[in-house]
mmCIF file of all heavy atoms in Angstrom:
data_model
loop_
_atom_site.group_PDB
_atom_site.id
_atom_site.type_symbol
_atom_site.label_atom_id
_atom_site.label_comp_id
_atom_site.label_asym_id
_atom_site.label_seq_id
_atom_site.Cartn_x
_atom_site.Cartn_y
_atom_site.Cartn_z
ATOM 1 N N ILE A 1 -12.704 116.324 -49.579
ATOM 2 C CA ILE A 1 -12.903 115.029 -48.912
ATOM 3 C C ILE A 1 -14.039 114.250 -49.577
ATOM 4 O O ILE A 1 -13.918 113.048 -49.849
ATOM 5 C CB ILE A 1 -13.193 115.245 -47.405
ATOM 6 C CG1 ILE A 1 -11.951 115.803 -46.712
ATOM 7 C CG2 ILE A 1 -13.634 113.933 -46.759
ATOM 8 C CD1 ILE A 1 -12.201 116.282 -45.294
ATOM 9 N N LEU A 2 -15.149 114.954 -49.861
ATOM 10 C CA LEU A 2 -16.274 114.288 -50.514
ATOM 11 C C LEU A 2 -15.891 113.833 -51.926
ATOM 12 O O LEU A 2 -16.248 112.721 -52.353
ATOM 13 C CB LEU A 2 -17.470 115.241 -50.575
ATOM 14 C CG LEU A 2 -18.739 114.678 -51.233
ATOM 15 C CD1 LEU A 2 -19.209 113.406 -50.532
ATOM 16 C CD2 LEU A 2 -19.846 115.721 -51.239
ATOM 17 N N ALA A 3 -15.137 114.671 -52.648
ATOM 18 C CA ALA A 3 -14.711 114.305 -53.998
ATOM 19 C C ALA A 3 -13.808 113.078 -53.966
ATOM 20 O O ALA A 3 -13.896 112.191 -54.826
ATOM 21 C CB ALA A 3 -13.997 115.473 -54.658
ATOM 22 N N ALA A 4 -12.930 113.015 -52.973
ATOM 23 C CA ALA A 4 -12.041 111.851 -52.853
ATOM 24 C C ALA A 4 -12.832 110.581 -52.633
ATOM 25 O O ALA A 4 -12.538 109.531 -53.230
ATOM 26 C CB ALA A 4 -11.057 112.075 -51.706
ATOM 27 N N GLU A 5 -13.861 110.655 -51.786
ATOM 28 C CA GLU A 5 -14.694 109.483 -51.523
ATOM 29 C C GLU A 5 -15.454 109.047 -52.772
ATOM 30 O O GLU A 5 -15.436 107.874 -53.156
ATOM 31 C CB GLU A 5 -15.679 109.794 -50.402
ATOM 32 C CG GLU A 5 -16.663 108.666 -50.116
ATOM 33 C CD GLU A 5 -17.670 109.022 -49.035
ATOM 34 O OE1 GLU A 5 -17.278 109.702 -48.065
ATOM 35 O OE2 GLU A 5 -18.840 108.625 -49.177
ATOM 36 N N VAL A 6 -16.091 110.015 -53.435
ATOM 37 C CA VAL A 6 -16.934 109.681 -54.582
ATOM 38 C C VAL A 6 -16.106 109.193 -55.757
ATOM 39 O O VAL A 6 -16.436 108.191 -56.410
ATOM 40 C CB VAL A 6 -17.787 110.903 -54.989
ATOM 41 C CG1 VAL A 6 -18.524 110.639 -56.286
ATOM 42 C CG2 VAL A 6 -18.778 111.246 -53.881
ATOM 43 N N GLU A 7 -15.009 109.864 -56.051
ATOM 44 C CA GLU A 7 -14.219 109.494 -57.221
ATOM 45 C C GLU A 7 -13.454 108.185 -57.002
ATOM 46 O O GLU A 7 -13.248 107.430 -57.959
ATOM 47 C CB GLU A 7 -13.268 110.633 -57.594
ATOM 48 C CG GLU A 7 -14.033 111.863 -58.065
ATOM 49 C CD GLU A 7 -13.139 112.905 -58.718
ATOM 50 O OE1 GLU A 7 -11.948 112.613 -58.955
ATOM 51 O OE2 GLU A 7 -13.638 114.005 -59.001
ATOM 52 N N THR A 8 -13.060 107.903 -55.771
ATOM 53 C CA THR A 8 -12.441 106.601 -55.487
ATOM 54 C C THR A 8 -13.461 105.482 -55.663
ATOM 55 O O THR A 8 -13.155 104.429 -56.236
ATOM 56 C CB THR A 8 -11.865 106.572 -54.067
ATOM 57 O OG1 THR A 8 -10.906 107.614 -53.915
ATOM 58 C CG2 THR A 8 -11.177 105.236 -53.791
ATOM 59 N N ALA A 9 -14.683 105.718 -55.160
ATOM 60 C CA ALA A 9 -15.751 104.723 -55.342
ATOM 61 C C ALA A 9 -16.043 104.528 -56.826
ATOM 62 O O ALA A 9 -16.234 103.394 -57.290
ATOM 63 C CB ALA A 9 -17.012 105.183 -54.614
ATOM 64 N N MET A 10 -16.051 105.614 -57.582
ATOM 65 C CA MET A 10 -16.325 105.522 -59.008
ATOM 66 C C MET A 10 -15.254 104.705 -59.720
ATOM 67 O O MET A 10 -15.555 103.865 -60.577
ATOM 68 C CB MET A 10 -16.395 106.938 -59.605
ATOM 69 C CG MET A 10 -16.818 106.971 -61.062
ATOM 70 S SD MET A 10 -17.104 108.667 -61.650
ATOM 71 C CE MET A 10 -15.462 109.361 -61.463
ATOM 72 N N LYS A 11 -13.991 104.917 -59.361
ATOM 73 C CA LYS A 11 -12.893 104.168 -59.983
ATOM 74 C C LYS A 11 -12.987 102.682 -59.649
ATOM 75 O O LYS A 11 -12.797 101.824 -60.523
ATOM 76 C CB LYS A 11 -11.549 104.726 -59.525
ATOM 77 C CG LYS A 11 -10.355 104.041 -60.184
ATOM 78 C CD LYS A 11 -9.046 104.631 -59.716
ATOM 79 C CE LYS A 11 -7.873 103.978 -60.439
ATOM 80 N NZ LYS A 11 -7.823 102.511 -60.272
ATOM 81 N N LYS A 12 -13.278 102.364 -58.390
ATOM 82 C CA LYS A 12 -13.403 100.965 -57.991
ATOM 83 C C LYS A 12 -14.574 100.296 -58.712
ATOM 84 O O LYS A 12 -14.479 99.136 -59.140
ATOM 85 C CB LYS A 12 -13.570 100.861 -56.469
ATOM 86 C CG LYS A 12 -12.283 101.084 -55.693
ATOM 87 C CD LYS A 12 -12.524 100.929 -54.196
ATOM 88 C CE LYS A 12 -11.204 100.943 -53.433
ATOM 89 N NZ LYS A 12 -10.421 99.712 -53.654
ATOM 90 N N MET A 13 -15.688 101.004 -58.839
ATOM 91 C CA MET A 13 -16.840 100.450 -59.552
ATOM 92 C C MET A 13 -16.503 100.208 -61.014
ATOM 93 O O MET A 13 -16.862 99.177 -61.595
ATOM 94 C CB MET A 13 -18.029 101.402 -59.428
ATOM 95 C CG MET A 13 -18.592 101.542 -58.023
ATOM 96 S SD MET A 13 -19.399 100.038 -57.435
ATOM 97 C CE MET A 13 -20.857 100.014 -58.465
ATOM 98 N N LEU A 14 -15.800 101.170 -61.626
ATOM 99 C CA LEU A 14 -15.435 101.031 -63.040
ATOM 100 C C LEU A 14 -14.500 99.838 -63.240
ATOM 101 O O LEU A 14 -14.652 99.076 -64.208
ATOM 102 C CB LEU A 14 -14.783 102.317 -63.529
ATOM 103 C CG LEU A 14 -14.458 102.382 -65.028
ATOM 104 C CD1 LEU A 14 -15.721 102.203 -65.857
ATOM 105 C CD2 LEU A 14 -13.783 103.704 -65.374
ATOM 106 N N ASP A 15 -13.543 99.661 -62.332
ATOM 107 C CA ASP A 15 -12.628 98.511 -62.419
ATOM 108 C C ASP A 15 -13.397 97.200 -62.325
ATOM 109 O O ASP A 15 -13.125 96.245 -63.066
ATOM 110 C CB ASP A 15 -11.578 98.582 -61.311
ATOM 111 C CG ASP A 15 -10.572 99.707 -61.526
ATOM 112 O OD1 ASP A 15 -10.491 100.213 -62.666
ATOM 113 O OD2 ASP A 15 -9.882 100.084 -60.559
ATOM 114 N N GLU A 16 -14.373 97.146 -61.417
ATOM 115 C CA GLU A 16 -15.156 95.917 -61.249
ATOM 116 C C GLU A 16 -16.042 95.659 -62.467
ATOM 117 O O GLU A 16 -16.229 94.502 -62.874
ATOM 118 C CB GLU A 16 -16.012 96.024 -59.982
ATOM 119 C CG GLU A 16 -16.751 94.749 -59.611
ATOM 120 C CD GLU A 16 -15.834 93.610 -59.209
ATOM 121 O OE1 GLU A 16 -14.668 93.883 -58.838
ATOM 122 O OE2 GLU A 16 -16.274 92.440 -59.269
ATOM 123 N N ILE A 17 -16.586 96.725 -63.042
ATOM 124 C CA ILE A 17 -17.397 96.567 -64.261
ATOM 125 C C ILE A 17 -16.550 95.981 -65.381
ATOM 126 O O ILE A 17 -16.971 95.049 -66.080
ATOM 127 C CB ILE A 17 -17.999 97.924 -64.690
ATOM 128 C CG1 ILE A 17 -19.100 98.346 -63.718
ATOM 129 C CG2 ILE A 17 -18.570 97.845 -66.111
ATOM 130 C CD1 ILE A 17 -19.591 99.767 -63.922
ATOM 131 N N GLU A 18 -15.344 96.520 -65.566
ATOM 132 C CA GLU A 18 -14.462 96.026 -66.627
ATOM 133 C C GLU A 18 -14.083 94.573 -66.384
ATOM 134 O O GLU A 18 -14.048 93.758 -67.317
ATOM 135 C CB GLU A 18 -13.200 96.903 -66.712
ATOM 136 C CG GLU A 18 -13.456 98.309 -67.236
ATOM 137 C CD GLU A 18 -14.050 98.308 -68.634
ATOM 138 O OE1 GLU A 18 -13.641 97.464 -69.455
ATOM 139 O OE2 GLU A 18 -14.933 99.139 -68.907
ATOM 140 N N LYS A 19 -13.803 94.227 -65.150
ATOM 141 C CA LYS A 19 -13.446 92.844 -64.822
ATOM 142 C C LYS A 19 -14.627 91.906 -65.070
ATOM 143 O O LYS A 19 -14.464 90.816 -65.619
ATOM 144 C CB LYS A 19 -12.996 92.754 -63.355
ATOM 145 C CG LYS A 19 -12.534 91.359 -62.944
ATOM 146 C CD LYS A 19 -11.849 91.401 -61.599
ATOM 147 C CE LYS A 19 -12.803 91.721 -60.488
ATOM 148 N NZ LYS A 19 -12.159 91.643 -59.145
ATOM 149 N N THR A 20 -15.821 92.341 -64.685
ATOM 150 C CA THR A 20 -17.015 91.511 -64.898
ATOM 151 C C THR A 20 -17.319 91.370 -66.384
ATOM 152 O O THR A 20 -17.692 90.297 -66.854
ATOM 153 C CB THR A 20 -18.222 92.144 -64.175
ATOM 154 O OG1 THR A 20 -17.912 92.304 -62.779
ATOM 155 C CG2 THR A 20 -19.449 91.234 -64.276
ATOM 156 N N LYS A 21 -17.136 92.452 -67.149
ATOM 157 C CA LYS A 21 -17.352 92.387 -68.604
ATOM 158 C C LYS A 21 -16.393 91.406 -69.257
ATOM 159 O O LYS A 21 -16.780 90.656 -70.161
ATOM 160 C CB LYS A 21 -17.190 93.784 -69.214
ATOM 161 C CG LYS A 21 -18.363 94.712 -68.958
ATOM 162 C CD LYS A 21 -18.064 96.122 -69.405
ATOM 163 C CE LYS A 21 -17.869 96.218 -70.897
ATOM 164 N NZ LYS A 21 -17.644 97.624 -71.343
ATOM 165 N N ARG A 22 -15.143 91.393 -68.806
ATOM 166 C CA ARG A 22 -14.176 90.440 -69.372
ATOM 167 C C ARG A 22 -14.585 89.005 -69.080
ATOM 168 O O ARG A 22 -14.447 88.121 -69.942
ATOM 169 C CB ARG A 22 -12.774 90.720 -68.816
ATOM 170 C CG ARG A 22 -12.121 91.977 -69.384
ATOM 171 C CD ARG A 22 -10.635 92.004 -69.087
ATOM 172 N NE ARG A 22 -10.364 92.071 -67.658
ATOM 173 C CZ ARG A 22 -10.226 93.204 -66.994
ATOM 174 N NH1 ARG A 22 -10.330 94.368 -67.607
ATOM 175 N NH2 ARG A 22 -9.984 93.189 -65.684
ATOM 176 N N ARG A 23 -15.096 88.768 -67.881
ATOM 177 C CA ARG A 23 -15.533 87.413 -67.535
ATOM 178 C C ARG A 23 -16.769 87.006 -68.340
ATOM 179 O O ARG A 23 -16.875 85.863 -68.783
ATOM 180 C CB ARG A 23 -15.823 87.342 -66.031
ATOM 181 C CG ARG A 23 -14.584 87.509 -65.158
ATOM 182 C CD ARG A 23 -14.927 87.598 -63.694
ATOM 183 N NE ARG A 23 -15.490 86.352 -63.212
ATOM 184 C CZ ARG A 23 -16.022 86.205 -62.003
ATOM 185 N NH1 ARG A 23 -16.088 87.238 -61.167
ATOM 186 N NH2 ARG A 23 -16.506 85.041 -61.635
ATOM 187 N N VAL A 24 -17.695 87.944 -68.536
ATOM 188 C CA VAL A 24 -18.879 87.659 -69.354
ATOM 189 C C VAL A 24 -18.464 87.330 -70.785
ATOM 190 O O VAL A 24 -18.942 86.364 -71.386
ATOM 191 C CB VAL A 24 -19.850 88.860 -69.344
ATOM 192 C CG1 VAL A 24 -20.942 88.672 -70.398
ATOM 193 C CG2 VAL A 24 -20.500 89.013 -67.961
ATOM 194 N N ASN A 25 -17.551 88.141 -71.338
ATOM 195 C CA ASN A 25 -17.101 87.916 -72.708
ATOM 196 C C ASN A 25 -16.348 86.600 -72.852
ATOM 197 O O ASN A 25 -16.470 85.920 -73.877
ATOM 198 C CB ASN A 25 -16.224 89.079 -73.170
ATOM 199 C CG ASN A 25 -17.011 90.366 -73.358
ATOM 200 O OD1 ASN A 25 -18.227 90.339 -73.525
ATOM 201 N ND2 ASN A 25 -16.329 91.496 -73.327
ATOM 202 N N ALA A 26 -15.553 86.258 -71.839
ATOM 203 C CA ALA A 26 -14.812 84.991 -71.895
ATOM 204 C C ALA A 26 -15.773 83.809 -71.935
ATOM 205 O O ALA A 26 -15.551 82.836 -72.668
ATOM 206 C CB ALA A 26 -13.882 84.885 -70.687
ATOM 207 N N LEU A 27 -16.848 83.894 -71.151
ATOM 208 C CA LEU A 27 -17.849 82.822 -71.170
ATOM 209 C C LEU A 27 -18.625 82.819 -72.478
ATOM 210 O O LEU A 27 -18.840 81.760 -73.084
ATOM 211 C CB LEU A 27 -18.820 82.995 -69.998
ATOM 212 C CG LEU A 27 -18.304 82.611 -68.608
ATOM 213 C CD1 LEU A 27 -19.270 83.075 -67.533
ATOM 214 C CD2 LEU A 27 -18.102 81.104 -68.510
ATOM 215 N N GLU A 28 -19.028 84.007 -72.919
ATOM 216 C CA GLU A 28 -19.919 84.109 -74.081
ATOM 217 C C GLU A 28 -19.215 83.804 -75.400
ATOM 218 O O GLU A 28 -19.806 83.180 -76.284
ATOM 219 C CB GLU A 28 -20.521 85.515 -74.115
ATOM 220 C CG GLU A 28 -21.551 85.714 -75.216
ATOM 221 C CD GLU A 28 -22.261 87.053 -75.094
ATOM 222 O OE1 GLU A 28 -22.145 87.713 -74.031
ATOM 223 O OE2 GLU A 28 -22.933 87.445 -76.060
ATOM 224 N N PHE A 29 -17.962 84.227 -75.517
ATOM 225 C CA PHE A 29 -17.284 84.127 -76.817
ATOM 226 C C PHE A 29 -16.175 83.078 -76.859
ATOM 227 O O PHE A 29 -15.633 82.827 -77.936
ATOM 228 C CB PHE A 29 -16.712 85.494 -77.214
ATOM 229 C CG PHE A 29 -17.760 86.556 -77.350
ATOM 230 C CD1 PHE A 29 -17.834 87.615 -76.458
ATOM 231 C CD2 PHE A 29 -18.697 86.489 -78.372
ATOM 232 C CE1 PHE A 29 -18.811 88.585 -76.573
ATOM 233 C CE2 PHE A 29 -19.671 87.461 -78.507
ATOM 234 C CZ PHE A 29 -19.736 88.517 -77.606
ATOM 235 N N LYS A 30 -15.834 82.488 -75.705
ATOM 236 C CA LYS A 30 -14.770 81.490 -75.719
ATOM 237 C C LYS A 30 -15.227 80.163 -75.113
ATOM 238 O O LYS A 30 -15.295 79.145 -75.807
ATOM 239 C CB LYS A 30 -13.554 82.042 -74.956
ATOM 240 C CG LYS A 30 -12.412 81.045 -74.829
ATOM 241 C CD LYS A 30 -11.903 80.573 -76.197
ATOM 242 C CE LYS A 30 -10.752 79.588 -76.045
ATOM 243 N NZ LYS A 30 -10.379 78.984 -77.349
ATOM 244 N N LEU A 31 -15.513 80.172 -73.812
ATOM 245 C CA LEU A 31 -15.788 78.907 -73.132
ATOM 246 C C LEU A 31 -17.049 78.230 -73.642
ATOM 247 O O LEU A 31 -17.027 77.045 -74.016
ATOM 248 C CB LEU A 31 -15.880 79.134 -71.617
ATOM 249 C CG LEU A 31 -16.153 77.879 -70.784
ATOM 250 C CD1 LEU A 31 -15.059 76.840 -71.002
ATOM 251 C CD2 LEU A 31 -16.287 78.216 -69.307
ATOM 252 N N LEU A 32 -18.171 78.965 -73.664
ATOM 253 C CA LEU A 32 -19.427 78.349 -74.089
ATOM 254 C C LEU A 32 -19.380 77.883 -75.554
ATOM 255 O O LEU A 32 -19.816 76.763 -75.831
ATOM 256 C CB LEU A 32 -20.595 79.316 -73.864
ATOM 257 C CG LEU A 32 -21.095 79.383 -72.411
ATOM 258 C CD1 LEU A 32 -22.071 80.537 -72.227
ATOM 259 C CD2 LEU A 32 -21.744 78.073 -71.998
ATOM 260 N N PRO A 33 -18.855 78.677 -76.506
ATOM 261 C CA PRO A 33 -18.749 78.146 -77.871
ATOM 262 C C PRO A 33 -17.906 76.881 -77.958
ATOM 263 O O PRO A 33 -18.244 75.956 -78.706
ATOM 264 C CB PRO A 33 -18.098 79.306 -78.641
ATOM 265 C CG PRO A 33 -18.521 80.526 -77.900
ATOM 266 C CD PRO A 33 -18.520 80.119 -76.464
ATOM 267 N N ASP A 34 -16.813 76.829 -77.191
ATOM 268 C CA ASP A 34 -15.987 75.617 -77.186
ATOM 269 C C ASP A 34 -16.760 74.425 -76.632
ATOM 270 O O ASP A 34 -16.664 73.303 -77.160
ATOM 271 C CB ASP A 34 -14.729 75.843 -76.349
ATOM 272 C CG ASP A 34 -13.708 76.730 -77.062
ATOM 273 O OD1 ASP A 34 -13.889 76.980 -78.271
ATOM 274 O OD2 ASP A 34 -12.755 77.182 -76.403
ATOM 275 N N LEU A 35 -17.534 74.664 -75.581
ATOM 276 C CA LEU A 35 -18.329 73.579 -74.985
ATOM 277 C C LEU A 35 -19.432 73.125 -75.936
ATOM 278 O O LEU A 35 -19.679 71.918 -76.077
ATOM 279 C CB LEU A 35 -18.924 74.037 -73.653
ATOM 280 C CG LEU A 35 -17.929 74.214 -72.502
ATOM 281 C CD1 LEU A 35 -18.616 74.819 -71.284
ATOM 282 C CD2 LEU A 35 -17.292 72.883 -72.113
ATOM 283 N N TYR A 36 -20.092 74.084 -76.593
ATOM 284 C CA TYR A 36 -21.134 73.716 -77.562
ATOM 285 C C TYR A 36 -20.531 72.904 -78.712
ATOM 286 O O TYR A 36 -21.135 71.931 -79.184
ATOM 287 C CB TYR A 36 -21.804 74.975 -78.126
ATOM 288 C CG TYR A 36 -22.618 75.761 -77.131
ATOM 289 C CD1 TYR A 36 -22.665 77.161 -77.175
ATOM 290 C CD2 TYR A 36 -23.363 75.118 -76.149
ATOM 291 C CE1 TYR A 36 -23.413 77.889 -76.260
ATOM 292 C CE2 TYR A 36 -24.110 75.846 -75.232
ATOM 293 C CZ TYR A 36 -24.126 77.231 -75.303
ATOM 294 O OH TYR A 36 -24.875 77.942 -74.401
ATOM 295 N N GLU A 37 -19.355 73.321 -79.163
ATOM 296 C CA GLU A 37 -18.689 72.607 -80.256
ATOM 297 C C GLU A 37 -18.335 71.182 -79.828
ATOM 298 O O GLU A 37 -18.534 70.227 -80.589
ATOM 299 C CB GLU A 37 -17.426 73.360 -80.665
ATOM 300 C CG GLU A 37 -16.685 72.718 -81.832
ATOM 301 C CD GLU A 37 -15.400 73.446 -82.168
ATOM 302 O OE1 GLU A 37 -15.117 74.480 -81.536
ATOM 303 O OE2 GLU A 37 -14.667 72.961 -83.057
ATOM 304 N N ALA A 38 -17.799 71.046 -78.599
ATOM 305 C CA ALA A 38 -17.458 69.715 -78.102
ATOM 306 C C ALA A 38 -18.704 68.849 -77.936
ATOM 307 O O ALA A 38 -18.687 67.645 -78.253
ATOM 308 C CB ALA A 38 -16.724 69.839 -76.764
ATOM 309 N N GLN A 39 -19.788 69.462 -77.448
ATOM 310 C CA GLN A 39 -21.046 68.723 -77.297
ATOM 311 C C GLN A 39 -21.537 68.217 -78.654
ATOM 312 O O GLN A 39 -21.910 67.047 -78.794
ATOM 313 C CB GLN A 39 -22.098 69.629 -76.661
ATOM 314 C CG GLN A 39 -23.446 68.953 -76.451
ATOM 315 C CD GLN A 39 -24.513 69.953 -76.004
ATOM 316 O OE1 GLN A 39 -24.482 71.114 -76.396
ATOM 317 N NE2 GLN A 39 -25.427 69.507 -75.172
ATOM 318 N N GLU A 40 -21.528 69.097 -79.654
ATOM 319 C CA GLU A 40 -21.992 68.709 -80.991
ATOM 320 C C GLU A 40 -21.098 67.624 -81.586
ATOM 321 O O GLU A 40 -21.595 66.670 -82.207
ATOM 322 C CB GLU A 40 -22.003 69.938 -81.900
ATOM 323 C CG GLU A 40 -22.548 69.666 -83.292
ATOM 324 C CD GLU A 40 -22.572 70.912 -84.155
ATOM 325 O OE1 GLU A 40 -22.134 71.979 -83.672
ATOM 326 O OE2 GLU A 40 -23.032 70.818 -85.309
ATOM 327 N N TYR A 41 -19.785 67.747 -81.386
ATOM 328 C CA TYR A 41 -18.840 66.760 -81.911
ATOM 329 C C TYR A 41 -19.108 65.377 -81.311
ATOM 330 O O TYR A 41 -19.179 64.374 -82.034
ATOM 331 C CB TYR A 41 -17.420 67.208 -81.597
ATOM 332 C CG TYR A 41 -16.361 66.170 -81.876
ATOM 333 C CD1 TYR A 41 -15.959 65.883 -83.173
ATOM 334 C CD2 TYR A 41 -15.763 65.480 -80.821
ATOM 335 C CE1 TYR A 41 -14.991 64.924 -83.425
ATOM 336 C CE2 TYR A 41 -14.794 64.523 -81.064
ATOM 337 C CZ TYR A 41 -14.401 64.252 -82.367
ATOM 338 O OH TYR A 41 -13.449 63.298 -82.607
ATOM 339 N N ILE A 42 -19.274 65.330 -79.982
ATOM 340 C CA ILE A 42 -19.510 64.045 -79.318
ATOM 341 C C ILE A 42 -20.844 63.453 -79.762
ATOM 342 O O ILE A 42 -20.945 62.240 -80.025
ATOM 343 C CB ILE A 42 -19.466 64.205 -77.784
ATOM 344 C CG1 ILE A 42 -18.051 64.572 -77.338
ATOM 345 C CG2 ILE A 42 -19.917 62.922 -77.091
ATOM 346 C CD1 ILE A 42 -17.921 64.825 -75.851
ATOM 347 N N GLU A 43 -21.879 64.298 -79.841
ATOM 348 C CA GLU A 43 -23.193 63.801 -80.260
ATOM 349 C C GLU A 43 -23.128 63.211 -81.673
ATOM 350 O O GLU A 43 -23.712 62.154 -81.948
ATOM 351 C CB GLU A 43 -24.222 64.926 -80.192
ATOM 352 C CG GLU A 43 -24.603 65.303 -78.772
ATOM 353 C CD GLU A 43 -25.529 66.510 -78.708
ATOM 354 O OE1 GLU A 43 -25.631 67.237 -79.723
ATOM 355 O OE2 GLU A 43 -26.139 66.731 -77.654
ATOM 356 N N GLN A 44 -22.417 63.893 -82.573
ATOM 357 C CA GLN A 44 -22.276 63.382 -83.943
ATOM 358 C C GLN A 44 -21.525 62.056 -83.960
ATOM 359 O O GLN A 44 -21.928 61.115 -84.658
ATOM 360 C CB GLN A 44 -21.553 64.410 -84.812
ATOM 361 C CG GLN A 44 -22.379 65.638 -85.143
ATOM 362 C CD GLN A 44 -21.593 66.654 -85.954
ATOM 363 O OE1 GLN A 44 -20.371 66.539 -86.109
ATOM 364 N NE2 GLN A 44 -22.291 67.656 -86.471
ATOM 365 N N LYS A 45 -20.439 61.980 -83.190
ATOM 366 C CA LYS A 45 -19.665 60.740 -83.146
ATOM 367 C C LYS A 45 -20.469 59.591 -82.552
ATOM 368 O O LYS A 45 -20.404 58.447 -83.029
ATOM 369 C CB LYS A 45 -18.381 60.954 -82.339
ATOM 370 C CG LYS A 45 -17.336 61.798 -83.047
ATOM 371 C CD LYS A 45 -16.865 61.130 -84.322
ATOM 372 C CE LYS A 45 -15.797 61.923 -85.025
ATOM 373 N NZ LYS A 45 -15.341 61.276 -86.280
ATOM 374 N N LEU A 46 -21.237 59.894 -81.517
ATOM 375 C CA LEU A 46 -22.059 58.851 -80.901
ATOM 376 C C LEU A 46 -23.142 58.381 -81.867
ATOM 377 O O LEU A 46 -23.462 57.180 -81.922
ATOM 378 C CB LEU A 46 -22.685 59.368 -79.599
ATOM 379 C CG LEU A 46 -21.710 59.582 -78.429
ATOM 380 C CD1 LEU A 46 -22.444 60.173 -77.231
ATOM 381 C CD2 LEU A 46 -21.035 58.277 -78.027
ATOM 382 N N GLU A 47 -23.715 59.312 -82.617
ATOM 383 C CA GLU A 47 -24.719 58.937 -83.620
ATOM 384 C C GLU A 47 -24.086 58.063 -84.706
ATOM 385 O O GLU A 47 -24.690 57.081 -85.157
ATOM 386 C CB GLU A 47 -25.334 60.187 -84.241
ATOM 387 C CG GLU A 47 -26.269 60.939 -83.301
ATOM 388 C CD GLU A 47 -26.774 62.234 -83.906
ATOM 389 O OE1 GLU A 47 -26.417 62.518 -85.075
ATOM 390 O OE2 GLU A 47 -27.513 62.966 -83.222
ATOM 391 N N GLU A 48 -22.876 58.420 -85.133
ATOM 392 C CA GLU A 48 -22.179 57.600 -86.127
ATOM 393 C C GLU A 48 -21.908 56.203 -85.582
ATOM 394 O O GLU A 48 -22.099 55.200 -86.289
ATOM 395 C CB GLU A 48 -20.854 58.266 -86.516
ATOM 396 C CG GLU A 48 -21.017 59.529 -87.344
ATOM 397 C CD GLU A 48 -19.682 60.204 -87.611
ATOM 398 O OE1 GLU A 48 -18.640 59.593 -87.259
ATOM 399 O OE2 GLU A 48 -19.674 61.315 -88.157
#
């Protein structure tokens, strides 16, 4: 019974860690670089 409780909690925690890591990576390597690129593009065009 104790093993079932602990190992189920461990699996749920691991699933949440993986989901949170994917969200961090999506922001760090996709969304934010795209936003920085768009910001730089607009700033350059406005300066021109």
Side-chain angles (χ1 to χ4, degrees):
I1 293 170
L2 180 57
E5 176 182 322
V6 172
E7 294 192 9
T8 302
M10 186 172 63
K11 183 179 183 303
K12 284 181 171 289
M13 293 292 290
L14 185 59
D15 290 343
E16 187 66 21
I17 289 170
E18 291 300 322
K19 183 168 68 175
T20 304
K21 285 172 65 177
R22 287 195 296 269
R23 293 173 66 188
V24 169
N25 291 339
L27 285 169
E28 185 172 347
F29 299 112
K30 176 59 179 172
L31 181 59
L32 281 170
D34 286 349
L35 289 174
Y36 293 144
E37 182 183 357
Q39 180 188 33
E40 183 179 2
Y41 170 75
I42 293 177
E43 288 175 344
Q44 288 177 349
K45 288 297 182 180
L46 290 177
E47 288 175 2
E48 289 176 7

